[in-house]
Amino acid sequence: MENKRKKLIAGNWKMNKTYDEAKALLTELSAVKNPPCDVAVCTPFLFIKEAAEILSGTGVLVGAQNMCDKESGAYTGEVSAAQLTSVGADCVIIGHSERRAYYGETDAGVNAKIKTALSHGLMPIVCVGESLEMRESGITGEHISIQVKLALSGISKEDITKVTIAYEPIWAIGTGKTATPEEAEEVCGLIRGVISSRYGADASERVRILYGGSMNAKNAAELLKKPDIDGGLIGGASLKSADFLKIVEAGKQ
Ligand code: 13P
């Protein structure tokens, strides 16, 4: 089937960079003109407005790494979808394994956040992934299917194509241990199958599925060649413009 998807290379800065460091990296990234694929930079909340300003006119999307599922009100310490769009955010990472592991995010919470993001026109980048223990027990497929189904519960056929999924095996995040292109392709294909069984083949062919986990300037091209891998969610390698821009270049295919 014809590939209807444009690759997306998204940087997840996590909790890195001070204000001056962030401005310097954003300024380096603003040299990007007409990138060969879609590009997004998900900075800490504090820097989103600056990112949107510095990157305006480059075509690079700006995003957050989390958000609240509630609209507004007494939710101390939270940030809403309306607040994100008001400072220029285009997208938001939802359900990253670090948030699930350290901040108790649940599948139901992830589902609620996706719905809120969609209702505000923010593109959700929804993370799923298995632990090393799950992989070694042979339950990767079951776990990922359940995560995807719960995340997408109640999302309409019209909205599903606005969702991006990121497959991030937990054992590959920040470890330097990347999934092989075959391992990553197998799970990204499985995710597409889950979406196809629920929304039909045509919709599933329009949903972008990224790989994340120690993706870098050296291994990106091989991973991005795989038919079901539609881009990357990049942690460590998004913190240096030279590395990140090499991965963006590898997205040209
Ligand atoms: P690393 O690229 O540092 O392994 O992080 C991946 C990730 O968690 C992106 O969201």
Side-chain angles (χ1 to χ4, degrees):
M1 201 178 289
E2 183 207 348
N3 189 329
K4 301 178 173 115
R5 306 174 298 271
K6 194 169 174 189
K7 301 241 188 253
L8 169 65
I9 303 297
N12 174 8
W13 288 12
K14 308 193 179 183
M15 195 175 73
N16 291 295
K17 305 287 177 189
T18 61
Y19 178 67
D20 287 342
E21 290 165 353
K23 262 204 326 197
L25 177 53
L26 290 165
T27 304
E28 286 166 22
L29 295 176
S30 70
V32 175
K33 295 280 181 286
N34 304 316
C37 58
D38 287 342
V39 182
V41 181
C42 297
T43 74
F45 289 129
L46 269 178
F47 310 142
I48 292 174
K49 183 167 187 289
E50 198 83 35
E53 282 166 12
I54 293 177
L55 295 171
S56 81
T58 61
V60 176
L61 304 173
V62 172
Q65 302 167 16
N66 179 33
M67 53 162 257
C68 186
D69 63 303
K70 307 291 191 299
E71 289 298 326
S72 67
Y75 300 101
T76 300
E78 291 293 308
V79 174
S80 74
Q83 288 171 333
L84 290 177
T85 56
S86 75
V87 291
D90 307 291
C91 55
V92 56
I93 297 171
I94 292 178
H96 192 281
S97 61
E98 288 151 14
R99 295 216 54 86
R100 294 179 193 252
Y102 308 144
Y103 302 101
E105 288 208 5
T106 61
D107 289 311
V110 167
N111 176 252
K113 289 181 183 192
I114 297 169
K115 287 174 176 160
T116 303
L118 288 168
S119 73
H120 285 266
L122 280 167
M123 177 182 84
I125 302 175
V126 182
C127 300
V128 295
E130 83 286 3
S131 65
L132 186 59
E133 197 185 2
M134 290 171 185
R135 176 157 284 262
E136 287 175 345
S137 312
I139 58 167
T140 297
E142 280 127 298
H143 174 73
I144 299 289
S145 300
I146 290 168
Q147 271 192 327
V148 171
K149 285 178 186 168
L150 290 175
L152 300 181
S153 171
I155 307 287
S156 70
K157 191 167 179 177
E158 190 200 337
D159 277 344
I160 187 64
T161 53
K162 299 173 192 154
V163 175
T164 293
I165 310 273
Y167 166 54
E168 297 208 313
I170 295 167
W171 48 270
I173 295 177
T175 57
K177 196 170 184 292
T178 320
T180 64
E182 291 69 32
E183 285 169 332
E185 169 68 8
E186 186 185 358
V187 180
C188 290
L190 178 141
I191 294 170
R192 200 173 309 286
V194 170
I195 296 170
S196 175
S197 67
R198 186 156 291 196
Y199 296 96
D202 191 55
S204 81
E205 287 299 318
R206 290 170 192 278
V207 174
R208 270 199 291 217
I209 303 174
L210 315 181
Y211 168 77
S214 298
M215 196 163 176
N216 58 40
K218 288 208 175 84
N219 60 29
E222 285 307 308
L223 286 156
L224 294 171
K225 261 186 214 153
K226 291 291 181 188
D228 280 311
I229 301 180
D230 304 319
L233 186 54
I234 323 294
S238 72
L239 298 174
K240 286 200 183 126
S241 60
D243 290 346
F244 187 63
L245 293 176
K246 274 186 206 143
I247 302 173
V248 168
E249 221 24 64
K252 177 166 118 192
Q253 13 190 301

